[in-house]
Amino acid sequence: MMIVISEFMDETAVASLRDRFEVIYDPALVDERPRLMERVQQADALIVRNRTQVDRALLSAARRLKVVGRLGVGLDNIDVAACQAHKVEVIPASGANAAAVAEYVIGTALVLLRGQYASTDAVIDGRWPRTALLNGRELGGKTLGLIGCGYIGQLTARLARALGMEVIAHDPALAADDPALARIGIRLTGLEELLATSDVVSLHVPLTEKTRGLLGRERLASMKKGAILVNTARGGIVDEKALVELLKAGHLGGAAIDVFAQEPLPAGSPFTALRGASNLILTPHVAGVTQESNKRVSAMIAQRVGEFLAGQGG
């Protein structure tokens, strides 16, 4: 049986698959759609990250395809309904990158609240911007608001609680008496209360029709003055233009954005207006990617895809 891997994967995990299957490992395929479409024609399994579009056209070309392994958890690049129609199993790496995402949220919140870590060049040059940097804020005693409180959100809450934060969450899928909430120390609340009272707001929801544009201009403006927004979920949930305007106006204290409505950012993106801003951290969809998480995610998908194919007679 043949496995096609179209984006980067830990080499040890790739080698483990090669021991049992024919493997085409070519991370360049994600950017070469015609070659990808040709390769998948003989594929029994396809392993992707978040950029390979597993759509109806690809599924129609991949007539032997039995399973798609997702090196991550978001499925918005995979047409799940079409996979079901083609009887193609979809296997995400649930939980394997949670620690990386949770640490990113807490780490960027610390940096943005403190606001003192962009002074390296000034200090090297002999300038001493101490007076300008006396207004840093501590994380302890602040309130973290989680929009979405699944596994990653709950792990983020554990880290936040360990640093002395209060944690509230908005998640219609959870019951107020869910034992996990009491165990960690999370209070469920309405979205409007969360936005109005949180010092740090972190998004942990998938991109769906219900969450698209969830934080538009009005809701962003309703956030507590000086609050920090962290988005490691998906682009399209936050109105990027409104976010930039509220950062420029000083209503929001900062933002760490790892995901965008269009990736990579197009020319003329709203964020261009904040080039060099000390209260903005932009990263290229890597919050869940570390050396450790890549190994965990890759090992999990290699094992589960391998087991699935073995069960199919591979």
Side-chain angles (χ1 to χ4, degrees), residues 86-111:
H86 283 78
K87 295 182 171 55
V88 174
E89 186 80 5
V90 177
I91 301 177
S94 300
N97 67 351
V101 176
E103 288 188 7
Y104 177 101
V105 173
I106 299 302
T108 54
L110 280 164
V111 169

Side-chain angles (χ1 to χ4, degrees), residues 151 154 157-158 161 176-187:
Y151 185 74
Q154 290 178 24
R158 289 182 186 277
R161 293 285 291 162
D177 59 354
D178 189 306
L181 302 179
R183 216 167 31 242
I184 300 169
I186 304 171
R187 179 175 65 86

Side-chain angles (χ1 to χ4, degrees), residues 8 96-97 99-101 103 286-296:
F8 72 91
N97 67 351
V101 176
E103 288 188 7
V286 292
V289 183
T290 60
Q291 293 180 26
E292 296 85 354
S293 73
N294 184 38
K295 290 178 181 178
R296 290 193 302 269

Side-chain angles (χ1 to χ4, degrees), residues 72-86:
V73 293
L75 299 178
D76 47 295
N77 62 310
I78 299 173
D79 189 331
V80 177
C83 285
Q84 291 172 344
H86 283 78

Side-chain angles (χ1 to χ4, degrees), residues 126-200:
R127 290 174 281 144
W128 204 248
R130 192 167 187 271
T131 302
L133 298 175
L134 295 179
N135 293 318
R137 294 176 285 168
E138 298 176 3
L139 204 66
K142 300 295 187 297
T143 297
L144 170 65
L146 300 170
I147 300 178
C149 196
Y151 185 74
I152 295 176
Q154 290 178 24
L155 183 54
T156 304
R158 289 182 186 277
L159 297 181
R161 293 285 291 162
L163 291 169
M165 296 191 81
E166 299 295 323
V167 181
I168 59 177
H170 172 71
D171 191 330
L174 289 177
D177 59 354
D178 189 306
L181 302 179
R183 216 167 31 242
I184 300 169
I186 304 171
R187 179 175 65 86
L188 283 186
T189 184
L191 180 57
E192 307 312 323
E193 179 185 345
L194 182 147
L195 294 173
T197 60
S198 297
D199 299 286
V200 178

Side-chain angles (χ1 to χ4, degrees), residues 12-13 54 87 127 137 173 187 219 240 253 258 263 265 268 270 274 276 278 307:
T12 301
V54 183
K87 295 182 171 55
R127 290 174 281 144
R137 294 176 285 168
R187 179 175 65 86
R219 282 189 170 138
E240 295 173 352
D258 184 57
E263 298 177 359
L265 286 178
L274 289 175
S278 61
E307 289 175 349

Side-chain angles (χ1 to χ4, degrees), residues 266-291:
S269 157
F271 292 105
T272 304
L274 289 175
R275 190 183 298 276
S278 61
N279 65 341
L280 179 65
I281 297 172
L282 301 183
T283 50
H285 208 139
V286 292
V289 183
T290 60
Q291 293 180 26

